Amino acid sequence: MRDGPETLDAYFPVSRETRDRLVIYVDLVRRWQKAQNLVSPSTLPHIWLRHVADSMQIHQLAPDIRLWIDFGAGAGFPGLVTAILLADEPSAMVHLVESNQRKAAFLRAVIRETDAAACIHADRIESVTDHWDEAKDGVIEGVSARALADLEALCGFARPFVARGARGFFHKGRDSRSEIVKASHTWNLDLVEHRSLIDPQSAILEIHRIDPFV
């Protein structure tokens, strides 16, 4: 099958309006890729499957969640894809945390062009989480990250939100089991492992509880 928006039909069919927004997004990735490395060049010919469809799994696992924080947003996978899927939900917002200013500029451009339900925090993750104000910024329901850090580190970032009721959703590759074992030496986790629909050897880890071992 040719890699294009029709790729989504086999996995997660979307409305015409959502598809149009995703087409704008992918076109912007391809244009900006010439000036900065947004995604691995080897994956660009398969961007609809490897990045868009893969990212859409987060929303499919948690369609009820409206307020997200996405760590290390980079090119916007999965956070910006989630924000596009939620674009017509008036109460939705995806907080994209990205300290690289050039990538943050790219994310802003996509949000302007697609009306995605997202906002940018162009700062380090610790700075954002340490100064999170629920009265102003909202009560986060979901935390996501993809290709950012190992599970042990991600749990440290996500714990303040998970402790207040949020769920974590982290894309992990073929070494997901070893990451779980390593993280379990530091954290007591309530975790569900979902096999990826895009790459059966990968997984999405859904975390409901993160407690440090005392």
Side-chain angles (χ1 to χ4, degrees), residues 7-14 52-57 60 197-198:
T7 301
L8 303 180
D9 295 338
Y11 298 95
F12 312 113
V14 297
V52 179
D54 189 44
S55 296
M56 289 174 71
Q57 295 182 92
Q60 293 297 317
L197 299 178
I198 308 304

Side-chain angles (χ1 to χ4, degrees), residues 133-205:
D133 184 343
E134 290 190 344
K136 175 173 68 71
D137 301 315
V139 178
I140 293 299
E141 302 167 314
V143 182
S144 62
R146 181 174 181 262
L148 173 65
D150 68 13
L151 181 61
E152 183 179 21
L154 289 175
C155 286
F157 295 144
R159 183 172 178 260
F161 299 104
V162 173
R164 295 193 291 270
R167 287 181 281 163
F169 295 87
F170 304 129
H171 282 80
K172 285 298 164 187
R174 301 178 184 188
D175 60 346
S176 61
R177 293 305 306 170
S178 62
E179 288 201 35
I180 292 171
V181 171
K182 181 175 180 285
S184 296
H185 293 154
T186 302
W187 306 104
N188 188 5
L189 302 175
D190 182 356
L191 178 150
V192 178
E193 187 174 4
H194 302 278
R195 283 293 105 190
S196 170
L197 299 178
I198 308 304
D199 178 4
Q201 297 188 64
S202 298
I204 296 171
L205 306 182

Side-chain angles (χ1 to χ4, degrees), residues 79-99:
L80 198 45
V81 172
T82 301
I84 288 173
L85 295 173
L86 292 173
D88 295 324
E89 295 288 341
S91 61
M93 181 59 63
V94 180
H95 296 268
L96 303 171
V97 183
E98 177 52 58
S99 62

